[in-house]
């Protein structure tokens, strides 16, 4: 879904969206949480449709620019660790829009 070869990964939070019914890749993005702005990440998270599988992984620093709104939106996808995510923490997460419980996979 994501790789350096496809040039769709970067510093910060890397995200892949997958259709929960078909398994089709819908979108990939990355947001620089060290030198970038959190606003585009927040706007992107708000557009995710119900039934979408959301995969996230950090590279280098994924937490410095995260604010309470961004952390809340990620928690609504099923994350229980995003509230404690700190500077240069490694984090991988699989959740979904409309999930009613915590993520079955997060480390």
């Amino acid at each position: 879904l994501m790789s350096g070869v496809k040039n769709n990964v970067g510093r910060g939070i890397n995200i892949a969206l997958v259709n929960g019914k078909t398994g089709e890749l819908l979108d990939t993005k990355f947001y620089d949480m060290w030198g970038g702005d959190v606003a585009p990440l927040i706007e992107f998270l708000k557009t995710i449709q119900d039934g979408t599988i959301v995969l996230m992984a950090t590279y280098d620093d994924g937490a410095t620019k995260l604010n309470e709104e961004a952390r809340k939106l990620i928690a609504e996808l099923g994350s229980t660790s995003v509230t404690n995510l700190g500077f240069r923490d490694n984090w991988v997460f699989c959740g979904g829009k409309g999930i009613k419980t915590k993520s079955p996979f997060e480390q």
Side-chain angles (χ1 to χ4, degrees), residues 12-53:
I13 298 178
N14 291 274
I15 304 173
L17 302 181
V18 176
N19 182 303
K21 291 183 181 178
T22 66
E24 172 191 5
L25 176 64
L26 300 173
D27 202 357
T28 61
K29 300 275 189 212
F30 63 91
Y31 296 91
D32 184 349
M33 292 292 100
W34 171 255
D37 181 9
V38 73
L41 170 64
I42 290 169
E43 292 309 310
F44 179 74
L45 293 172
K46 289 178 179 179
T47 68
I48 298 172
Q49 301 295 309
D50 277 356
T52 302
I53 297 169

Side-chain angles (χ1 to χ4, degrees), residues 56 74-75 77-85 90-95 102-107:
M56 296 185 180
I74 295 169
L77 298 171
S79 174
T80 57
S81 298
V82 71
T83 55
N84 300 318
L85 191 64
N90 294 315
W91 176 63
V92 291
F93 165 70
C94 177
K102 69 176 187 168
S103 169
F105 182 78
E106 181 172 27
Q107 190 170 6

